[in-house]
Amino acid sequence: MLLSSRSLHIAVRLLPALLICSSPAGAQDKAPLQAPFHLRTQAGPLQTEQRGAKSCAPAPAAVTRLSITSKYGDDGPQRDTIDPDADAAARNEMQDIRAFSRQVVKAANEYTRSGNPAAARCTLSLLADWRRAGALRQMDNANAEFERVSTLAGLSLALLQVSPAVGREPDYAPTVAWMRELAQAGTRYFDGSSKLKGSRNNHRDWAALAAASVATLSGDRALLDWSARAYQAEVCSAGAEGGLPLELERGQKARDYHLFALSALAPLAAILQSNGVDAGAECKGALHRIVGFTLKALDDPSQMAALAGKPQEAFKGKKDGDGMPGPNQLAFLEAYVKQYPEQGPAVGRWLRLRPFASTNLGGNQTLLYGGGR
């Protein structure tokens, strides 16, 4: 069978990922997958087990089944106008999961910051409690599936941070296996619901980030391969200017959703790049075009608005509509400049807003990626 030039291009681009994932007996398959940030391997000399143990509050009750209301309510096909009542309902439904995620990530960041082994054990203990309860296994609608993958991304990146300290603990392997089960459930869902637009846009990017992070923990190269293919499909969909078609369809929220997509794509690229996939070169540097186009729209959203067909909604910060994105919306920049330091000058203005943090990216990104050091 002859390949079209487009198919051949995709095959060549995916070759690094396929080589990683398709040779069970190869030397690459035996090598552990690499984290995209430095992992602390030594405990801080001034920290004590007792001090850390006292700060590890019990985990909240595990959420095993989830159904999430769309914050857009009955809004039209662009889903770009939030319904206040629906938004309040969705926040309430996610309240316990978000509180748990913040608790886990805070403990993991404390280990990364201080080297306190008790903080690492706290991270694992919290996750093991939810694993034993069967947390996050039953998702009852699409929005729940979408929330699960972004939550899993943050939790797995937290466990990755503390893995040098707790990798031999009895609870570690079963907790990694639980995360792998959740990641595989996510890939099956997104592969089986491709007709749903939400399964092809930014939510798939988050599923890919979760799968790649869990792959790094578990050594599951099939998950890494799935992530590489999802990444390739997304960045190669970008137009010449760097716009993502499905995010441009979000009307007045196109700019917000480009930032949301990049929040997954940039750290995903960092994981892939750390494991032999030249993500930055994919489709002639598409990731860099997407970043440039999106950051340009922070100052001047006119091109974004023209392509989206609507003026862009103002950012809400300390002053309502002050034109500045929140630090969590730019947290992806730490992974981006860590992996692609040559891009630093192009994004330098925004780096002045450090420190950057996002729970679904594993917490304090400036701490993890060494920004400003």
Side-chain angles (χ1 to χ4, degrees), residues 208-220:
L209 175 59
S213 177
V214 173
T216 307
L217 283 167
S218 65
D220 187 334

Side-chain angles (χ1 to χ4, degrees), residues 150-168:
S150 57
T151 297
L152 179 60
L155 296 180
S156 56
L157 287 165
L159 184 57
L160 183 59
Q161 288 173 59
V162 304
S163 57
V166 298
R168 296 183 179 181

Side-chain angles (χ1 to χ4, degrees), residues 301-320:
S302 59
Q303 186 182 23
M304 183 84 74
L307 291 170
K310 283 186 178 182
Q312 295 303 286
E313 186 176 66
F315 292 113
K316 293 180 173 62
K318 293 180 180 178
K319 297 178 181 178
D320 192 34

Side-chain angles (χ1 to χ4, degrees), residues 119-152:
R121 291 193 181 95
C122 179
T123 305
L124 178 60
S125 175
L126 293 168
L127 290 167
D129 284 347
W130 271 44
R131 180 257 303 168
R132 282 188 286 266
L136 303 177
R137 281 205 166 101
Q138 185 168 344
M139 302 293 103
D140 288 342
N141 65 2
N143 288 319
E145 294 281 359
F146 300 159
E147 291 287 0
R148 175 166 66 174
V149 291
S150 57
T151 297
L152 179 60

Side-chain angles (χ1 to χ4, degrees), residues 108-124:
N109 285 177
E110 174 59 27
Y111 170 74
T112 298
R113 182 181 297 106
S114 69
N116 185 354
R121 291 193 181 95
C122 179
T123 305
L124 178 60

Side-chain angles (χ1 to χ4, degrees), residues 313-361:
E313 186 176 66
F315 292 113
K316 293 180 173 62
K318 293 180 180 178
K319 297 178 181 178
D320 192 34
D322 67 356
M324 296 292 287
N328 65 313
Q329 292 177 288
L330 293 174
F332 69 88
L333 288 175
E334 295 289 11
Y336 182 65
V337 297
K338 174 70 172 181
Q339 195 59 246
Y340 308 110
E342 72 279 5
Q343 298 296 324
V347 304
R349 173 193 169 189
W350 301 105
L351 297 179
R352 293 198 294 268
L353 296 177
R354 285 168 167 156
F356 295 126
S358 169
T359 299
N360 287 345
L361 295 182

Side-chain angles (χ1 to χ4, degrees), residues 33 183 210-225 227 271:
L33 296 176
S213 177
V214 173
T216 307
L217 283 167
S218 65
D220 187 334
R221 292 170 184 271
L223 280 177
L224 189 70
D225 179 49
S227 299
I271 294 175

